[in-house]
Amino acid sequence: MSDHDWQAPGGAPSPGPVPGAPSGAPAPGYGSQPGGGSSDSPYGAPLPPPLHGAPGAWAPPPKPGLLPLRPLGFGTLLWAPFTVLRRNPAATFGSGLVVQLVSAVATIAVVVPFLIFTFSRIENAASEDLDALLAGSVGGFLLVMLVPIAISVVAAAFLQGVMVVEVATGTLGERLSFGALWRRAAKRIGPLLGWTAIVTLAVLLIVAAFVAVIVVGAVTSPAALVVAIVATLLGGLGVAVLAFWIGTKLSIVPSIIVLEGAGIGTAVRRSWRLTNGYFWRTLGTLLLVALILNFAAQVVVQPISLLGSIVSVLIDPNGTGAGLTVTIITTVVTLILSIVIGAITAVVQAALVAVIYVDLRMRHEGLDLELARTVEMRDAGHPVGDPFAPPATAGAPAT
């Protein structure tokens, strides 16, 4: 029987001799490599080197964390901050709730005594002193409100740092407790407060400038007041466009400050550079998430407030005071819901900024590869560095 007459088991014909091969040498099969080497891959192609573990050994892929270790699609980018809230609610929602409660308590503690004192003075004041007293009360109220505003700024800055740490550690598959998150965020609270204060001061100066224009117009003449109002509206539109542009370009400054240990100036330059090419994607994500949160808040709060008003009118249609209890209960429930929804909103929006930062670094600097390598080395028991440290080329000019 010749070589061509032999058949392999199952009836398949045997492959013919290989041209140039020594006489009697068998032809390479589908599971072997030319030259006598063996392989587990089809068609004799060599196997690629193992992705994980030592050569020739198998190791599980990196443990999945909060974010996939690849550049994020728009859907993942959009819903990832909500996943942050669901993944570690005790630490994330708890932090947001603490911030909202601190802000609310500070406002109540400062404003209520001032209003009681002011109304008492107005009731007992002589008619000729009433105008001066009202003007002084307005100025005093504005000064008093600076205290809760300052406390809210500090609380918001701290929450931003907490959520940045949560997103970063969650991406690596870690789940930190409430206290651990706050301790890590506290290390960078100084630069965070500085950045938040700069943004707040810029907003206050813009608002003060518009108010001053209207006041000057009102003092000058009715025609000047109309001109001032029109100028303020047109100027406000221009400032809004500018604010959207600058705000988007600098949106990831807090994440850079916390995770890269950068100063404010360096963080501003890094944020401006990393958002290059992704401005509309970043702006669209920020606006869409804000729209979702606002819509959800209105859906929850407004029906309860409206229901309370309807019940109050049904119980006391003549306004005798019988529906006061319903009004008080509705107000308290609405306040509680507002605090809870405010906590959720603050957490999600702060987490979104951190998620956008991670995604932009994956796209510009290959952070996904560094994160995967860090997870793999850590799970193998090897010491690892900080994967979020800025690359050596971070200070290079953008191309």
Side-chain angles (χ1 to χ4, degrees):
M1 180 185 300
S2 66
D3 289 339
H4 294 284
D5 296 331
W6 181 85
Q7 291 187 342
S14 173
V18 179
S23 177
Y30 287 109
S32 62
Q33 301 181 39
S38 63
S39 171
D40 294 330
S41 65
Y43 308 110
L47 283 174
L51 295 177
H52 308 285
W58 180 89
K63 179 181 178 181
L66 171 67
L67 303 175
L69 302 184
R70 54 174 171 74
L72 307 180
F74 185 74
T76 304
L77 187 65
L78 187 65
W79 294 110
F82 297 94
T83 306
V84 173
L85 185 65
R86 187 176 67 250
R87 182 178 180 270
N88 193 6
T92 56
F93 176 70
S95 298
L97 196 59
V98 167
V99 168
Q100 292 296 309
L101 287 175
V102 167
S103 300
V105 169
T107 302
I108 294 173
V110 171
V111 172
V112 171
F114 177 82
L115 292 179
I116 293 175
F117 172 75
T118 300
F119 289 144
S120 175
R121 289 192 61 189
I122 291 175
E123 289 179 357
N124 299 324
S127 57
E128 61 272 12
D129 298 332
L130 192 58
D131 291 340
L133 186 58
L134 288 174
S137 299
V138 172
F141 180 77
L142 294 177
L143 290 176
V144 166
M145 284 301 297
L146 292 177
V147 176
I149 288 175
I151 293 175
S152 298
V153 167
V154 173
F158 207 94
L159 180 63
Q160 181 70 75
V162 168
M163 297 314 303
V164 168
V165 174
E166 169 64 19
V167 169
T169 55
T171 302
L172 295 173
E174 301 175 10
R175 195 189 304 266
L176 299 184
S177 64
F178 180 93
L181 281 177
W182 280 59
R183 284 192 295 272
R184 289 200 186 186
K187 297 177 181 179
R188 299 296 298 163
I189 189 60
L192 269 178
L193 285 177
W195 171 246
T196 307
I198 290 173
V199 174
T200 304
L201 181 61
V203 173
L204 291 177
L205 288 177
I206 293 172
V207 173
F210 284 140
V211 171
V213 170
I214 295 177
V215 169
V216 171
V219 171
T220 304
S221 67
L225 176 60
V226 173
V227 172
I229 293 175
V230 173
T232 300
L233 292 176
L234 295 177
L237 291 176
V239 169
V241 173
L242 185 63
F244 276 120
W245 177 55
I246 296 178
T248 301
K249 295 292 291 182
L250 303 182
S251 58
I252 60 173
V253 166
S255 300
I256 296 172
I257 288 175
V258 174
L259 295 181
E260 300 182 15
I264 294 176
T266 301
V268 167
R269 291 190 294 271
R270 284 272 291 157
S271 179
W272 200 276
R273 187 178 300 117
L274 286 173
T275 51
N276 284 342
Y278 297 97
F279 172 83
W280 292 109
R281 174 186 170 93
T282 302
L283 176 61
T285 305
L286 292 170
L287 290 179
L288 189 54
V289 170
L291 182 63
I292 292 172
L293 292 171
N294 183 68
F295 178 77
Q298 297 301 320
V299 168
V300 173
V301 174
Q302 292 302 323
I304 294 178
S305 179
L306 181 61
L307 180 62
S309 300
I310 294 175
V311 172
S312 178
V313 171
L314 292 177
I315 293 177
D316 186 18
N318 298 322
T320 60
L324 181 60
T325 302
V326 175
T327 302
I328 293 175
I329 293 175
T330 303
T331 302
V332 171
V333 172
T334 302
L335 178 61
I336 294 175
L337 282 176
S338 299
I339 291 175
V340 171
I341 294 174
I344 295 174
T345 299
V347 167
V348 171
Q349 288 181 326
L352 176 62
V353 172
V355 171
I356 290 174
Y357 161 81
V358 174
D359 177 62
L360 290 177
R361 282 201 61 184
M362 286 180 179
R363 295 177 181 276
H364 278 284
E365 302 171 350
L367 180 63
D368 49 334
L369 303 179
E370 185 63 32
L371 292 174
R373 186 180 300 111
T374 298
V375 172
E376 184 177 353
M377 295 289 288
R378 181 198 63 193
D379 292 348
H382 300 295
V384 296
D386 181 9
F388 293 99
T393 57
T399 58

